[in-house]
Amino acid sequence: MAQQTATKAPVRKPVSTGGVFFSFAPWIIFGVVASPSTWEYAALAALVASVVLSAQDMLHGTLRVLDVTGIVFFAVLSVLALALDRGELAWLETYAQVISNGLVAVVALGSLLTDPFTAQYAREQTPREFWDSPVFRHINRVLTALWGAAFALMTVSTWLAVRYPAQDDWFNWVVPIALLVLAVKFTQRYPESYKARVT
């Protein structure tokens, strides 16, 4: 009985919402600060946040895919802001948030083809012998798909904000914030809910 309990315990909560949030924080900072007149500062702030939040992982050589993507993306944006004239960056000023949300969606959904990105956080609090368990794999595939879908919808929402500026507050703020809150709540509750159904 004790052995059975020990086997089940590590997959009780396979994803730390705090760890996931820290990786999303630079993207959220960029989304909050970025606008046609401030996206350069938003990119720099997000780059600094990406490096600071990933510093310890860099020292240990354990960077996650979302962290690496953020550092590279925001570094490229910062370089473009310095290297190109404002007129050459008009398209980027307009679609910076759309591009950033779309990139996160692509990275998250693309990771389902290899290693679901949430599994990288789950492994930090789950013993290695449970990493290949069906429960562990299923939960992380569902959570990764959820986050990918949330950012895909945010991509559409921020694109609609560009097309319909009169509804900017709804598409740039209300919808994305609601999607993030729902994703966090689901991430907190789904592991226990699924485990209760299969055990």
Side-chain angles (χ1 to χ4, degrees):
M1 183 67 177
Q3 184 177 2
Q4 184 180 12
T5 303
T7 301
K8 291 179 180 179
V11 293
R12 285 184 77 106
K13 191 175 181 182
V15 176
S16 167
T17 53
V20 173
F21 177 79
F22 284 137
S23 287
F24 280 128
W27 303 91
I28 294 171
I29 290 170
F30 183 77
V32 169
V33 178
S35 71
S37 61
T38 62
W39 70 268
E40 303 101 319
Y41 305 107
L44 182 59
L47 175 60
V48 171
S50 295
V51 173
V52 169
L53 292 173
S54 303
Q56 187 173 0
D57 291 328
M58 280 191 248
L59 292 175
H60 293 89
T62 57
L63 275 176
R64 308 175 192 94
V65 63
L66 198 58
D67 298 325
V68 173
T69 303
I71 291 171
V72 172
F73 177 69
F74 296 122
V76 168
L77 285 188
S78 298
V79 170
L80 288 176
L82 293 173
L84 299 179
D85 294 330
R86 190 175 185 87
E88 297 175 290
L89 295 172
W91 63 273
L92 190 52
E93 289 187 356
T94 302
Y95 293 103
Q97 288 174 303
V98 179
I99 294 170
S100 66
N101 287 330
L103 181 58
V104 175
V106 169
V107 169
L109 296 175
S111 73
L112 290 170
L113 300 175
T114 53
D115 182 32
F117 87 89
T118 59
Q120 296 179 330
Y121 304 91
R123 292 190 188 105
E124 295 176 0
Q125 54 184 343
T126 304
R128 182 178 293 272
E129 60 266 29
F130 301 102
W131 292 359
D132 292 324
S133 72
V135 172
F136 183 90
R137 289 197 305 252
H138 174 84
I139 290 174
N140 282 287
R141 288 186 66 81
V142 170
L143 295 181
T144 295
L146 168 78
W147 281 101
F151 271 87
L153 291 172
M154 288 167 62
T155 303
V156 174
S157 183
T158 48
W159 177 78
L160 289 172
V162 174
R163 296 297 302 271
Y164 304 101
Q167 304 299 323
D168 176 82
D169 287 344
W170 280 97
F171 292 130
N172 260 344
W173 295 97
V174 177
V175 173
I177 290 173
L179 288 169
L180 287 174
V181 170
L182 288 173
V184 169
K185 294 294 185 183
F186 187 87
T187 300
Q188 291 172 334
R189 296 173 181 173
Y190 180 74
E192 288 294 331
S193 173
Y194 180 75
K195 183 174 177 290
R197 293 200 304 268
V198 299
T199 55

